Amino acid sequence: MKLSEDDIYRTSTQFNHWSFTTQQLAAQRLKTNMQATERVKANVARQRAQRLQQAESDSLSSGVENGSGANTPLPDRSSDVKEVDCLTAEEELMIVDEFCERALALGAHCQFPTEVTASCVQFLRRFYLYNSPMTYHGQNISRTAMFLACKTENAHQSVETFATNFSKTTAEQILAPEYVIVQGLRFQFDVKHPFRGLKGGHLELVEMARGSYEGPNNIEDGMTSADLQARMLTLPRKAHEPSAKTSMQDMEKRLTSAYGFASHILKNAALLTDAYFLYTPSHIWLSSHLLADEPLTLFYLSIKLPSHSPLYIKLLSTLRSCAALLSSHRTFNAQRSPDVDAKHKARVKQLIEKLKSCRDPDKVDLVKLNQAQKRDAVEGEGGFDESKAKRRKVERETYQKESDNFWGPELPKA
Amino acid sequence: MASPVVLSPRPNPPGAKVDPVAARSKALAILASSNKATRSPAVAPAASTPKDGDLDLAEQMNDDVRRQFVSGKRLGEGTYAIVYAGHYRHNPDALVAIKKIKFNAEFKDGIAMDAIREIKFLSELTHPNIIKLHAVFSTKDQNLSLVLEHLPLGDLEGLWKNRKLTYSGADIKAWANMLCQAIWFCHENYVLHRDIKGNNLLIAADGTVKLADFGLARSFADPGRPMTSNVITRFYRPPELLYGCYHYGGAVDMWSVGCVIAELAIRNFFLASETDIGQLATICDHFGTPTEENWPSVSTLRYYVAPSQQPGIQKGSTAAKMGKPASWWRGTFPLLGEDGVDLIRGMLAMDPKKRLTAKQALEHRYWTALPRPTKKEKLPKDAGGEAKAAEDLKRKGGETPANGRADKVARKLDFASMG
Ligand SMILES: Nc1ncnc2c1ncn2[C@@H]1O[C@H](COP(=O)(O)OP(=O)(O)O)[C@@H](O)[C@H]1O
């Protein structure tokens, strides 16, 4: 009578709603990018038209230029206004990655528990799978995602206290996108992390090293815990090296350092890549451990699964591909070259600059947007879409009427 | 998507002649400094949601979910939500309960913690003895609604309170077992419920008991990370929490489970007091005063006072209570039998380390000993489930009856700091 980590994972929302193949991820990101691009362009065009109209009315009312005959056709506006240069899906992902990295830094700065920061980063990655950073800016969303993660991971603090972590940020700004985010997360707040799994695996390895492991083993029938220990103490130091005798003390040190390195991967590369979308928490911690110490990890696996079983072979190949993903991340290598970092920084800076000119103008001020939505709700209480549509229509008509009052009714066509 | 404004341009003002370059640069300047308040009333509608067809994907999905359900009459009101009867739009026979989170003016931190917790845990827990969460949606006024399984036959507290209803030891065994299954499943999923009590155990139309109200739940903490001790309604709160313990596990829920089973057997509240101090005294009356001997390290808990240190105690004597003798237990719980008494005493061990775990409880001989638990479909049903809902309705807002659920402080204070 015991549920395995796997049983729990298979019924989780993470598995059922937030697990994908690489192809699915790429397709979804492309779709999100295309929809957002279309919308940004339409909304920018609409706002430009409005501003232009406004500018015209301004100059009209100021009476400075008033002359050269009625109905002078205006120059065609659309042709000489530059098209908005939107982000590509790939650029969007780089920007999301950047805000995920900033969230890690923020979490460290605020000394939040690991789970808070880790959940925040996953919230961001989930949210931006269906939303574009052109629509919702990473700066706004990541602050609020962190606030939400504090709530979901039992580290709640008041929004006022939370807001003091940022300069020039009000409680209202933190709260404004909360509904946008929880909707984008489809009200799923649970993130299954690999931390607990890694800790459990590490403790088992320590037991094995001390000769006190009592769990099942798949190496050989009738192996005692002392036999396992003896076997472990002759493991090669590195992959593809011959076996080497180790003392128990040295083995424990080795385990500690493997655990440390694997933790580092879990707290960085695992969060900053698509690992959570593509792999299970067990895959992720085992892959990290594999990267940290391959012989130890293979030994551990051979105890858990018969090493010639198809399952073992399949698992190992999954772990290797997950490990490849994790080790491909910039943060994987502790002594990474400053050159790579500088290049990366420059590229990100350029993209953030580019983002400034392709944001969805309707979603820039989330505080105001949030107020407007609440106002909509109060006014439109009761009915559903009909009333909303009707009210919008009235709004449009009022707007039209105001402009008519201003300019006089449309002139009959000549 | 094109906006309506673009599609229906306003008339060109007669005689207007603008420098298109100047106008454009102005427009772009406004666009760039978009955080500034828009200065023109004509632009204001654009700041509101632009167009119905222009909903975010997430908004669309939310609307789709919302449209699947029809909400009906009010079923009852709890501390943080109002519950309505409802059904699937496509199938009026598929009943649900729609729990609409109340707007809480005191809580200024956005979405309420109760709602976050309840949604977070119920989304993950799928078990026949845990209430099913069908869906979640938000309404326009930015309130969350939880679409829950409809459980029309009241709750376990209502059962024992209903004097018109008679039931047997076999019935209690069936109810108790469903409760233990539920809590076992929570703990296997690393979830602490932290508010187990009779009226959070609802009953489905077919008699199945379902654990509900996960508003105080949380995951097991990492060792060393403190948790608030201010959880669990007082009558069901274990001694370690009353002593202010910051580190605890599934054992806190098991104490509550023991209390609920005991209540079913005596058809009354089992350990009831109006204050925390009084609650501890009641517990000690029944189980004896804890000491370092019978509960190692109890003296390290914040609010623990050794018997010899208690006020009003003469030098040399102790205030240690002995607890009730075995004969008292047998005499008080005839419906449980020897095995049942052994089970609840195992759940009600003062020292949480000695308390039965959910797994151990399920392995207890009580379940296999005679009488066999009653089959679900044969369990007595509380026809008064509906009546109770009406009674709940009468009781407005924050008012709670003096008995049972009086202790809502726990929930309120819990907002404060630790989870
Ligand atoms: N799933 C459900 N099916 C039917 N009725 C329900 C359901 N959930 C709650 N109710 C009714 O609504 C009332 C309030 O529920 P809840 O908010 O959970 O209250 P409380 O805070 O008292 O636990 C309950 O007493 C019950 O009558």
Side-chain angles (χ1 to χ4, degrees):
Chain A
M1 201 170 49
K2 178 98 194 96
L3 292 181
S4 72
E5 290 291 328
D6 222 44
D7 296 331
I8 294 174
Y9 182 70
R10 298 290 150 189
T11 57
S12 69
T13 48
Q14 180 157 322
F15 176 69
N16 290 301
H17 297 274
W18 302 101
S19 292
F20 305 95
T21 63
T22 333
Q23 292 78 10
Q24 286 170 329
L25 277 181
Q28 182 54 48
R29 286 185 173 132
L30 194 62
K31 190 171 159 198
T32 300
N33 172 257
M34 275 161 36
Q35 283 172 344
T37 301
E38 206 176 301
R39 230 158 81 166
V40 167
K41 286 185 176 164
N43 289 343
V44 168
R46 192 196 70 238
Q47 287 227 345
R48 279 177 179 168
Q50 283 171 8
R51 312 283 185 205
L52 201 57
Q53 216 94 54
Q54 190 61 43
E56 287 160 9
S57 75
D58 282 355
S59 64
L60 181 72
S61 55
S62 68
V64 178
E65 288 188 89
N66 202 2
S68 55
N71 269 339
T72 311
L74 285 165
D76 181 40
R77 285 166 242 161
S78 50
S79 64
D80 61 12
V81 172
K82 208 168 126 261
E83 267 262 345
V84 193
D85 185 16
C86 286
L87 298 175
T88 64
E90 192 195 343
E91 291 171 337
E92 282 181 331
L93 185 56
M94 280 195 80
I95 286 195
V96 172
D97 286 341
E98 171 66 15
F99 279 99
C100 291
E101 284 193 45
R102 290 188 191 181
L104 282 191
L106 172 69
H109 172 77
C110 301
Q111 297 183 309
F112 289 139
T114 311
E115 282 79 11
V116 170
T117 311
S119 290
C120 168
V121 171
Q122 292 315 307
F123 286 166
L124 287 173
R125 299 190 80 80
R126 289 176 179 186
F127 179 81
Y128 282 115
L129 200 51
Y130 296 102
N131 291 280
S132 160
M134 296 188 284
T135 317
Y136 294 108
H137 199 282
Q139 180 90 30
N140 302 325
I141 298 300
S142 55
R143 288 185 302 222
T144 310
M146 188 68 88
F147 180 64
L148 182 66
C150 284
K151 288 188 188 178
T152 65
E153 300 298 330
N154 282 299
H156 174 55
Q157 40 183 244
S158 81
V159 64
E160 267 84 18
T161 310
F162 183 84
T164 59
N165 290 314
F166 311 91
S167 60
K168 286 185 272 165
T169 301
T170 63
E172 201 182 10
Q173 283 172 317
I174 302 285
L175 292 179
E178 198 181 26
Y179 267 84
V180 168
I181 295 176
V182 296
Q183 253 182 31
L185 297 175
R186 300 157 86 174
F187 308 104
Q188 288 155 6
F189 301 134
D190 193 58
V191 181
K192 301 269 181 245
H193 293 293
F195 306 118
R196 202 196 297 262
L198 175 65
K199 210 172 270 174
H202 172 69
L203 291 178
E204 280 186 309
L205 280 163
V206 170
E207 283 180 354
M208 291 171 195
R210 291 180 183 165
S212 57
Y213 175 75
E214 299 295 348
N217 97 72
N218 281 290
I219 299 184
E220 264 168 52
D221 276 349
M223 267 181 108
T224 64
S225 47
D227 296 338
L228 274 180
Q229 179 192 33
R231 172 95 55 128
M232 189 174 183
L233 295 180
T234 56
L235 286 174
R237 283 185 225 286
K238 288 213 170 72
H240 316 300
E241 278 186 11
S243 64
K245 194 120 186 68
T246 319
S247 72
M248 195 173 97
Q249 285 73 22
D250 285 345
M251 180 50 79
E252 287 201 29
K253 270 189 214 145
R254 180 171 163 185
L255 284 172
T256 306
S257 96
Y259 177 74
F261 188 35
S263 293
H264 172 80
I265 299 174
L266 294 190
K267 290 176 189 168
N268 294 280
L271 293 170
L272 299 171
T273 55
D274 284 330
Y276 278 56
F277 287 144
L278 300 168
Y279 301 98
T280 71
S282 310
H283 289 153
I284 297 172
W285 78 257
L286 281 166
S287 309
S288 303
H289 208 278
L290 190 70
L291 288 165
D293 193 321
E294 179 159 332
L296 276 178
T297 314
L298 295 180
F299 172 73
Y300 178 84
L301 285 177
S302 67
I303 289 173
K304 295 285 163 183
L305 288 173
S307 46
H308 295 292
S309 64
L311 194 61
Y312 181 94
I313 293 159
K314 189 163 167 247
L315 176 65
L316 195 58
S317 107
T318 309
L319 294 186
R320 295 229 184 263
S321 73
C322 179
L325 172 70
L326 298 175
S327 59
S328 70
H329 194 265
R330 216 167 22 85
T331 59
F332 176 75
N333 223 323
Q335 309 93 25
R336 53 188 193 256
S337 81
D339 198 39
V340 173
D341 265 0
K343 243 188 222 155
H344 175 81
K345 274 210 184 90
R347 175 84 178 115
V348 167
K349 199 168 162 216
Q350 182 201 351
L351 287 178
I352 297 215
E353 213 39 50
K354 180 175 175 184
L355 174 60
K356 283 186 186 154
S357 57
C358 59
R359 291 182 63 186
D360 182 341
D362 287 344
K363 307 276 172 147
V364 169
D365 190 342
L366 294 180
V367 169
K368 218 186 270 165
L369 188 67
N370 186 43
Q371 287 165 348
Q373 269 161 352
K374 280 195 191 146
R375 199 179 53 228
D376 279 5
V378 176
E379 288 168 5
E381 193 72 336
F384 182 35
D385 275 346
E386 297 81 349
S387 78
K388 195 162 160 188
K390 200 181 287 163
R391 191 175 35 71
R392 293 260 162 73
K393 184 158 171 274
V394 172
E395 243 170 35
R396 276 201 295 274
E397 282 167 354
T398 319
Y399 165 63
Q400 194 80 48
K401 206 163 134 227
E402 276 168 8
S403 77
D404 285 351
N405 288 343
F406 192 84
W407 278 289
E410 190 167 9
L411 295 176
K413 292 254 159 11
Chain B
M1 252 170 267
S3 98
V5 188
V6 175
L7 291 177
S8 54
R10 293 180 296 177
N12 293 332
K17 200 184 108 194
V18 279
D19 173 1
V21 178
R24 189 175 72 231
S25 60
K26 192 169 177 185
L28 287 177
I30 295 168
L31 199 63
S33 64
S34 42
N35 271 329
K36 283 192 203 120
T38 40
R39 58 196 180 95
S40 143
V43 188
S48 134
T49 37
K51 180 169 152 280
D52 297 327
D54 220 18
L55 291 177
D56 277 359
L57 185 64
E59 287 172 318
Q60 275 172 35
M61 291 197 304
N62 180 58
D63 283 355
D64 290 346
V65 171
R66 176 154 38 119
R67 262 184 285 238
Q68 280 177 37
F69 302 98
V70 178
S71 182
K73 73 168 200 285
R74 193 161 138 145
L75 287 177
E77 179 163 350
T79 338
Y80 85 107
I82 302 175
V83 183
Y84 298 89
H87 60 80
Y88 275 88
R89 190 175 295 278
H90 71 262
N91 178 7
D93 294 334
L95 300 178
V96 294
I98 298 179
K99 184 167 181 173
K100 188 171 175 182
I101 309 300
K102 279 195 262 189
F103 175 74
N104 181 352
E106 281 167 61
F107 190 69
K108 304 227 178 308
D109 294 343
I111 300 173
M113 285 297 296
D114 302 72
I116 298 246
R117 293 197 186 105
E118 181 139 78
I119 294 169
K120 173 175 169 177
F121 294 110
L122 285 183
S123 305
E124 307 297 321
L125 298 172
T126 308
H127 186 273
N129 300 113
I130 296 177
I131 190 169
K132 182 177 161 62
L133 178 66
H134 288 276
V136 182
F137 61 79
S138 70
T139 40
K140 283 162 292 165
D141 47 351
Q142 299 202 334
N143 250 323
L144 293 180
S145 289
L146 282 66
V147 183
L148 294 161
E149 185 174 3
H150 183 238
L151 303 171
L153 295 185
D155 55 55
L156 285 189
E157 187 179 313
L159 275 182
W160 65 251
K161 279 188 169 167
N162 182 349
R163 295 291 154 195
K164 293 194 202 92
L165 205 74
T166 51
Y167 57 75
S168 68
D171 301 330
I172 295 178
K173 194 175 284 189
W175 290 319
N177 190 258
M178 292 189 266
L179 165 56
C180 287
Q181 299 276 354
I183 202 62
W184 170 79
F185 192 77
C186 290
H187 292 177
E188 282 291 298
N189 279 275
Y190 309 104
V191 175
L192 299 175
H193 185 281
R194 305 199 301 182
D195 199 16
I196 292 179
K197 53 179 169 176
N199 65 6
N200 281 338
L201 288 151
L202 306 185
I203 301 170
D206 70 350
T208 311
V209 171
K210 310 237 179 189
L211 180 57
D213 198 348
F214 279 66
L216 278 178
R218 63 159 293 156
S219 333
F220 287 16
D222 277 342
R225 209 176 135 194
M227 294 180 273
T228 173
S229 56
N230 206 357
V231 285
I232 305 189
T233 302
R234 189 188 307 113
F235 295 0
Y236 308 87
R237 200 182 300 160
E240 67 271 26
L241 294 186
L242 292 161
Y243 284 132
C245 183
Y246 286 133
H247 304 280
Y248 50 85
V252 297
D253 285 335
M254 293 312 294
W255 178 277
S256 313
V257 171
C259 293
V260 170
I261 300 174
E263 287 177 356
L264 283 171
I266 59 173
R267 301 195 71 148
N268 202 343
F269 291 112
F270 176 45
L271 302 169
S273 180
E274 292 305 316
T275 64
D276 288 2
I277 301 278
Q279 188 69 29
L280 264 173
T282 307
I283 291 174
C284 294
D285 286 344
H286 286 81
F287 304 96
T289 311
T291 59
E292 277 296 316
E293 284 73 56
N294 56 30
W295 178 351
S297 82
V298 64
S299 61
T300 63
L301 298 176
R302 281 188 294 160
Y303 303 141
Y304 177 76
V305 183
S308 57
Q309 310 289 304
Q310 283 168 8
I313 300 304
Q314 285 170 352
K315 253 205 163 76
S317 76
T318 66
K321 295 170 182 165
M322 300 301 293
K324 307 276 190 199
S327 57
W328 181 87
W329 289 91
R330 274 195 304 271
T332 308
F333 299 97
L335 280 175
L336 294 181
E338 290 271 346
D339 295 327
V341 166
D342 188 72
L343 174 71
I344 63 165
R345 293 193 71 182
M347 294 171 165
L348 295 167
M350 291 289 270
D351 181 351
K353 288 201 193 64
K354 295 181 190 147
R355 215 169 284 154
L356 291 180
T357 64
K359 188 164 179 281
Q360 289 167 337
L362 284 175
E363 287 160 357
H364 197 274
R365 63 177 184 276
Y366 170 65
W367 313 111
T368 44
L370 291 176
R372 307 281 299 156
T374 309
K375 291 215 160 33
K376 214 164 49 192
E377 52 284 5
K378 298 229 171 85
L379 280 169
K381 294 200 176 88
D382 185 2
E386 296 279 320
K388 177 174 178 300
E391 171 203 316
D392 281 351
L393 237 179
K394 268 184 257 147
R395 165 163 61 78
K396 290 269 159 49
E399 293 167 30
T400 45
N403 58 21
R405 49 173 98 187
D407 196 358
K408 289 299 181 188
V409 207
R411 168 157 277 166
K412 227 184 213 163
L413 290 180
D414 192 59
F415 290 143
S417 56
M418 299 170 275

